[in-house]
Each structure stands twice: as C-alpha cells, then as structure tokens.
Amino acid sequence: QVQLVESGGGLVEPGGSLRLSCAASGVRFSEYAVNWYRQAPGQQREFVARISNFDRTDYRDSVRGRFTISRDNAKNTAYLQMNSLKPEDTAVYYCCITTTTNVWGQGTQVTVSS
C-alpha cells in the first residue's frame, strides 16, 4: 500500500539546477528516513543522500556541497535540490523508504548535457 512517486527530473545544462520531489502515500511519513539513489546506464545503483526522521542528513562525497536533501512532513514529501550539476550526475534517480521492507519509486530521469 506504500507508494512513492518521484518527479522533477529533466534535461539541464552543466552548472544548472533541478529539484526532485518524492511524494509518499500509505505510510506514516514522518517516522521514516528517506533515501535518494541513482543509477546510470550500465552501472550499479548508488547512494546519493539520505535524511532521517529527525532531519540528520548524509551525502555521498561527489555531491556534498552541491545537493541538499530536505523533507516536508506536512506534505508527505522529500526533496533533493541539485545545484551545479555535472554530466556525471546523469542517471535515473530513485526515492526509497524502508518500513518493514524497502519501498522504491518508479524513478525520474536526470540528464545533464549541453
């Protein structure tokens, strides 16, 4: 019954910005950490950022200082603000919440290219 829907992806030039959203339903959203992962073609899915239920954050080294994860519990939504985007950030981005199991959204494509 838990569902996650990502949105906000698209095509952006290097140095540009995007804000991804992860809307949750069927879960007591405020109780759980939210994770963002990404997967480039032919590559393994990799951790990007997480935010705990008490707003502790963590980032992979390559995005720290450029990306910001946040959440709005009143809207049951988490966000990933991505600034200073690079071509290496191109991937499908997925939201994940762990309740009794890992729940994934469908993903949203981010393409950084001139």
Side-chain angles (χ1 to χ4, degrees):
Q1 189 172 0
V2 180
Q3 290 184 309
L4 303 176
V5 179
E6 300 97 334
S7 62
L11 176 64
V12 65
E13 294 185 354
S17 297
L18 286 172
R19 188 178 74 159
L20 307 184
S21 297
C22 173
S25 61
V27 64
R28 295 180 180 179
F29 181 75
S30 63
E31 298 181 0
Y32 298 98
V34 179
N35 302 272
W36 285 98
Y37 287 77
R38 66 187 182 188
Q39 187 168 25
Q43 304 297 315
Q44 295 187 45
R45 190 170 297 185
E46 64 183 16
F47 166 79
V48 178
R50 67 168 58 90
I51 183 167
S52 76
N53 61 332
F54 52 94
D55 290 346
R56 185 176 66 183
T57 60
D58 192 26
Y59 303 89
R60 72 177 298 111
D61 288 344
S62 63
V63 309
R64 187 175 293 110
R66 299 188 297 121
F67 291 10
T68 303
I69 189 170
S70 62
R71 65 192 299 158
D72 186 340
N73 290 335
K75 297 181 179 179
N76 293 332
T77 301
Y79 305 95
L80 185 67
Q81 178 67 46
M82 305 185 295
N83 299 327
S84 301
L85 283 162
K86 304 174 180 180
E88 66 192 60
D89 297 317
T90 296
V92 178
Y93 284 70
Y94 298 90
C95 179
C96 176
I97 294 176
T98 301
T99 58
T100 56
T101 186
N102 289 329
V103 180
W104 297 87
Q106 83 290 342
T108 185
Q109 176 72 50
V110 172
T111 302
V112 185
S113 176
S114 298

